C-alpha cells in the first residue's frame, strides 16, 4: 500500500510537530518571540498522534521525524516514542530533531524507547555568536547533547546548521573541521522564507554551491552518491578518508520538489502537504469528529493528492506562508 500524490510521487516520510513552542529565539525563525500559540485543547494528544501514525504507516510511511517548535518541551516524549516504535518494522526510521537543550536529560530514555536517530541544530561554534543567533547562552549544552547522542550510539548523529549571509557563513570551514573531529554529519541548510519576522531576503541566502566550494577548497570533498533519491541533502565524504560527512540542503537555489516524499502534521493536527503550503487540511477535526478508521484513511489519501507540485520561492508572485517554521515543524 502506498500513499501517492497527483504527480506520481510516493509519500514515505511523515514529520510530526509535537508543539509550536520553543525555548530558543533564533533570529531567522522567531525574531520577535513566539507568534500566538495554538490553544492547548487543539494540540493532539500522544494517543491521537499514535493512532494517526499507525494509519500513516499502514499507508506506506517508512520514516517518522518528531519535531516542533522544540519537541522536548513536551513532557514524556519517550512515552510517545515507545508507542511509535511498536509500528516497526513497517516504520523503518524513527527520528527526532531538537535544539539539544534538554536532550541529555532524556537521551537514554529516548534510546531505550526505540528512537533510531537524532538531528541536533547548531548554528555556530562560537559562544557569543551562538547566543546572538539563538538568544540563548547554551552552546555548551548543545555540545553535551552531541556527546550524549554519540555515546548512546545514535548513528549517524546529524547536525543542522542554517547558514545566513553575514551571520555564520564565515564558519563553514570550522564546521567541516568539527564534522571531521567528531565523526558527525553536518548538514548545511539554505535559509528559507519561513521566519516569523518576514525578514527573509534573497541576499541572506548562502547558495549550497558556495557552501560546498568553500569547504572543498580546504577539505576536498567527494560526492557520496550521484542521486539523492528522495533525500533533501547532497552528501559528501572527505576525500582524504577522514570520518564525518557534509550534507548540503539547498531548497532555494536547487529546488528538489520533484523527488519530495514528505508530508507534515502540525501540533494542532493539520496536515501540510508542503512547507510552503498556504492551505492546511484539518485531520484533528476528522478524528475528533468520530470518523471511522476507513473515513480517516480516505481523508488522508485525498489530502495527499493535493500535494503541491513544487514551491514558488523563486517566482515573483511567491507568498510566504502565514505559519512559521516553528509552527509547521522543520
Ligand atoms: N527545535 C528543533 C530544532 O531546533 O532543531 C526542531 C524544530 S526547528 C524549526 C527544525 C530545523 O529548522 C532547525 O534546524 C532550524 O534551524 C531549521 N529552520 C528554522 N527556520 C528555518 C528557516 N527559515 N530556513 C531554514 N531552516 C530553518
Amino acid at each position: 500500500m502506498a500513499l501517492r500524490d497527483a504527480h506520481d510521487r510516493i509519500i514515505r516520510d511523515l514529520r510530526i510537530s509535537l508543539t509550536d513552542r520553543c525555548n530558543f529565539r533564533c533570529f531567522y525563525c522567531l525574531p520577535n518571540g513566539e507568534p500566538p500559540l495554538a490553544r492547548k485543547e487543539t494540540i493532539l494528544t500522544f494517543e491521537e498522534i499514535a493512532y494517526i501514525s499507525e494509519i500513516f504507516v499502514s499507508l506506506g510511511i517508512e520514516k517518522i521525524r518528531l519535531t516542533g517548535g522544540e519537541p522536548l518541551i513536551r513532557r514524556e516524549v519517550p512515552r510517545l516514542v515507545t508507542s511509535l516504535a511498536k509500528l516497526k518494522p513497517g516504520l523503518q526510521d524513527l527520528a527526532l530533531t531538537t535544539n539539544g537543550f534538554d536532550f541529555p536529560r532524556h537521551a537514554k530514555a529516548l534510546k531505550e524507547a526505540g528512537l533510531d536517530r537524532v538531528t541536533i541544530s547548531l548554528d555556530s561554534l562560537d559562544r557569543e555568536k551562538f547566543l546572538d543567533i539563538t538568544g540563548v547562552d547554551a552552546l555548551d549544552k548543545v555540545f553535551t547533547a552531541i556527546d550524549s547522542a554519540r555515546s548512546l550510539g545514535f548513528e549517524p548523529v546529524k547536525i543542522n546548521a542554517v547558514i545566513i549571509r553575514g551571520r555564520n557563513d564565515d564558519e563553514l570551514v570550522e564546521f567541516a573541521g568539527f564534522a571531521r573531529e567528531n565523526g558527525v554529519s553536518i548538514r548545511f541548510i539554505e535559509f528559507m522564507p519561513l521566519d516569523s519576522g518576514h525578514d527573509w531576503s534573497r541576499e541572506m541566502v548562502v547558495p549550497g554551491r558556495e557552501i560546498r566550494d568553500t569547504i572543498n577548497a580546504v577539505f576536498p570533498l567527494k560526492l557520496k552518491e550521484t542521486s539523492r533519491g528522495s533525500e533533501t541533502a547532497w552528501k559528501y565524504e572527505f576525500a582524504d578518508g577522514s570520518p564525518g560527512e557534509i550534507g548540503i540542503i539547498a531548497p532555494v537555489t536547487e529546488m528538489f520538489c520533484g523527488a519530495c516524499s514528505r508530508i507534515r502534521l502540525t501540533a494542532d493536527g493539520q496536515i501540510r502537504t508542503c512547507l510552503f503550503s498556504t492551505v492546511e487540511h484539518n485531520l484533528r477535526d476528522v478524528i475528533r469528529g468520530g470518523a471511522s478508521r476507513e473515513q480517516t484513511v480516505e481523508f488522508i489519501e485525498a489530502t495527499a493528492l493535493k500535494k503541491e507540485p513544487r514551491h514558488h520561492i523563486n517566482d515573483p508572485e511567491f507568498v510566504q506562508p502565514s505559519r512559521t517554521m516553528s509552527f509547521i515543524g522543520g
Side-chain angles (χ1 to χ4, degrees), residues 63-79:
K63 293 187 189 179
I64 291 182
R65 176 171 293 279
L66 305 177
T67 179
E70 172 46 44
L72 294 179
I73 283 187
R74 190 107 181 232
R75 267 187 287 163
E76 296 184 51
V77 176
R79 181 165 71 82

Side-chain angles (χ1 to χ4, degrees), residues 278-293:
T278 47
V279 287
E280 297 182 336
H281 308 274
N282 194 339
L283 182 60
R284 181 191 72 234
D285 277 1
V286 171
I287 59 166
R288 289 191 184 169
S292 65
R293 190 178 193 287

Side-chain angles (χ1 to χ4, degrees), residues 245-258:
E245 184 188 80
I246 297 297
I248 309 258
I249 304 180
V252 180
T253 63
E254 295 172 46
M255 179 163 74
F256 41 78
C257 305

Side-chain angles (χ1 to χ4, degrees), residues 9-14 61 230 259-263 307:
R9 293 173 297 192
I10 297 179
I11 316 294
R12 298 211 183 279
D13 183 347
L14 172 65
I61 289 290
S230 62
C260 182
S261 62
R262 282 167 289 286
I263 196 160
K307 186 169 165 64

